[in-house]
């Protein structure tokens, strides 16, 4: 339990998403021998995710999408909460807080899109399905752009925290790759190259799982800060630590203050109460 923390949320979300995708894909290839569903177009031979999800595996598709989005949203919320509490590098400017808020807003839009596209399947509700598919892709893509922007600003001001730069480059790679794939998907679908579009859709979905797992990188450092929040002023923190371990080099005024505090402490020992250790998740 020592290392169990908020980082488990993206693990659960990512594994659920991968399980759902692999369940649908392997069912279509192995169990149905690449059957052509009623929702597939004229000469289309490769099924979209939504084609398989509209078949007898629709319950798996719906439940998988819901669980994925619940734990992914918990990951977004945990990131904001931990930065507010100082468990992760905190947002210290209005711009960073606005970017964090926009990240969560567009993640919720992506959540609505993914949840509803699984329910309004492409066989019975093709128009609604396409609208929610667009919300899903656009919502999470814009959310990723804003969180990249936020991490870029955080990493620039907190260079000692290398994890911010690592996470920034992971998410930036996701944004670039998914944007290229999304443009290709829309173009091939518009030109009615359905097999190419179906392949791109499967690739987009699997790449999305790596984006989900990337939040482990963001949330794992909170394990080490359960009882030691991150200071927003590392220079001052280093100075205080140095003077605490080298009292002989304290400036005269600071030494007098420290001696006065020590005298007050010794004179009123009963004022010191041992506070029980508070453990956080």
């Amino acid at each position: 339990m020592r290392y169990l923390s908020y980082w488990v949320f993206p693990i659960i979300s990512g594994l659920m998403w991968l399980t759902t995708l692999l369940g649908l894909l392997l069912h279509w290839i192995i169990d149905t021998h690449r059957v052509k569903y009623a929702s597939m177009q004229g000469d289309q031979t490769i099924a979209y995710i939504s084609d398989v999800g509209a078949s007898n595996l629709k319950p798996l598709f719906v439940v998988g999408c819901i669980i994925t989005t619940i734990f992914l949203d918990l990951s977004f919320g945990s990131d904001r909460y931990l930065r507010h509490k100082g468990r992760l590098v905190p947002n210290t400017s209005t711009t960073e807080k606005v970017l964090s808020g926009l990240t969560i807003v567009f993640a919720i839009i992506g959540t609505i899109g993914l949840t509803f596209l699984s329910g309004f399947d492409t066989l019975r509700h093709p128009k609604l399905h396409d609208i929610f598919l667009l919300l899903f892709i656009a919502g999470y893509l814009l959310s990723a752009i804003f969180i990249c922007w936020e991490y870029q600003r955080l990493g620039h001001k907190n260079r000692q925290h290398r994890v911010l730069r690592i996470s920034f480059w992971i998410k930036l790679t996701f944004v670039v790759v998914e944007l290229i794939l999304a443009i290709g998907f829309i173009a091939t679908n518009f030109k009615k190259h359905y097999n190419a579009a179906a392949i791109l859709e499967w690739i987009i979905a699997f790449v999305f799982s790596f984006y989900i797992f990337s939040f482990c990188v963001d949330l794992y450092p909170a394990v080490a800060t359960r009882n030691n929040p991150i200071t927003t002023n590392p220079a001052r923190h280093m100075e205080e630590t140095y003077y605490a371990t080298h009292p002989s080099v304290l400036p005269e005024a600071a030494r007098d203050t420290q001696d006065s505090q020590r005298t007050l402490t010794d004179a009123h020992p009963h004022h010191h109460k041992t506070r029980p250790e508070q453990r956080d998740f």
Side-chain angles (χ1 to χ4, degrees):
M1 297 295 291
R2 179 181 177 184
Y3 296 102
L4 189 64
S5 186
Y6 297 90
W7 61 269
V8 300
F9 293 148
I11 291 290
I12 296 172
S13 178
L15 289 178
M16 189 68 244
W17 183 241
L18 277 179
T19 300
T20 302
L21 292 178
L22 289 174
L24 295 173
L25 182 60
L26 294 177
H27 169 74
W28 177 65
I29 294 174
I30 298 174
D31 295 339
T32 70
H33 304 287
R34 303 189 180 189
V35 67
K36 183 169 182 175
Y37 293 107
S39 57
M40 294 169 68
Q41 303 297 323
D43 59 348
Q44 180 186 349
T45 58
I46 300 177
Y48 286 91
I49 298 172
S50 51
D51 291 324
V52 187
S55 67
N56 58 325
L57 284 190
K58 183 174 180 176
L60 169 65
F61 190 37
V62 172
V63 172
C65 289
I66 291 174
I67 294 176
T68 296
T69 54
I70 286 174
F71 283 96
L72 181 54
D73 288 346
L74 284 174
S75 301
F76 281 106
S78 297
D79 182 84
R80 182 70 193 95
Y81 168 77
L82 293 170
R83 296 195 190 285
H84 177 70
K85 290 294 185 180
R87 294 275 304 278
L88 296 175
V89 179
N91 300 118
T92 56
S93 71
T94 302
T95 301
E96 291 168 4
K97 293 175 183 178
V98 169
L99 291 173
S100 178
L102 289 172
T103 296
I104 294 174
V105 167
F106 281 102
I108 292 173
I109 292 174
T111 294
I112 293 172
L114 182 55
T115 303
F116 280 82
L117 74 83
S118 64
F120 293 97
D121 61 71
T122 189
L123 178 61
R124 301 168 186 84
H125 310 279
K127 296 284 187 182
L128 285 173
H129 181 84
D130 289 343
I131 291 172
F132 290 125
L133 177 62
L134 179 62
L135 284 179
F136 164 56
I137 295 176
Y140 279 117
L141 197 55
L142 287 170
S143 177
I145 290 172
F146 284 120
I147 202 170
C148 275
W149 192 353
E150 177 194 357
Y151 282 15
Q152 187 274 332
R153 294 180 63 89
L154 283 171
H156 181 72
K157 294 192 298 185
N158 302 274
R159 296 182 182 276
Q160 71 276 20
H161 296 285
R162 294 179 61 248
V163 68
L164 291 170
R165 292 196 301 276
I166 294 171
S167 182
F168 165 75
W169 286 111
I170 292 174
K171 289 176 175 57
L172 182 61
T173 301
F174 165 79
V175 169
V176 173
V177 171
E178 289 287 71
L179 186 58
I180 294 171
L181 291 172
I183 292 172
F185 170 72
I186 294 171
T188 51
N189 207 38
F190 182 75
K191 292 183 177 180
K192 299 183 179 181
H193 300 316
Y194 297 117
N195 286 333
I199 293 172
L200 288 173
E201 185 187 50
W202 285 100
I203 295 173
I204 289 170
F206 278 109
V207 171
F208 182 63
S209 65
F210 292 102
Y211 173 67
I212 297 174
F213 286 129
S214 75
F215 284 91
C216 295
V217 178
D218 307 328
L219 299 175
Y220 189 78
V223 172
T225 57
R226 277 193 174 97
N227 303 300
N228 186 27
I230 296 173
T231 178
T232 57
N233 191 335
R236 181 176 179 182
H237 178 69
M238 291 173 65
E239 181 182 10
E240 290 174 349
T241 302
Y242 178 75
Y243 284 138
T245 55
H246 300 79
S248 61
V249 299
L250 274 170
E252 190 66 31
R255 192 180 304 139
D256 290 342
T257 302
Q258 189 182 66
D259 291 341
S260 299
Q261 290 175 343
R262 188 181 298 113
T263 302
L264 287 171
T265 302
D266 293 340
H268 303 281
H270 58 279
H271 287 169
H272 280 270
K273 297 181 180 179
T274 303
R275 298 179 64 183
E277 182 181 3
Q278 296 181 351
R279 298 190 64 83
D280 198 359
F281 179 49

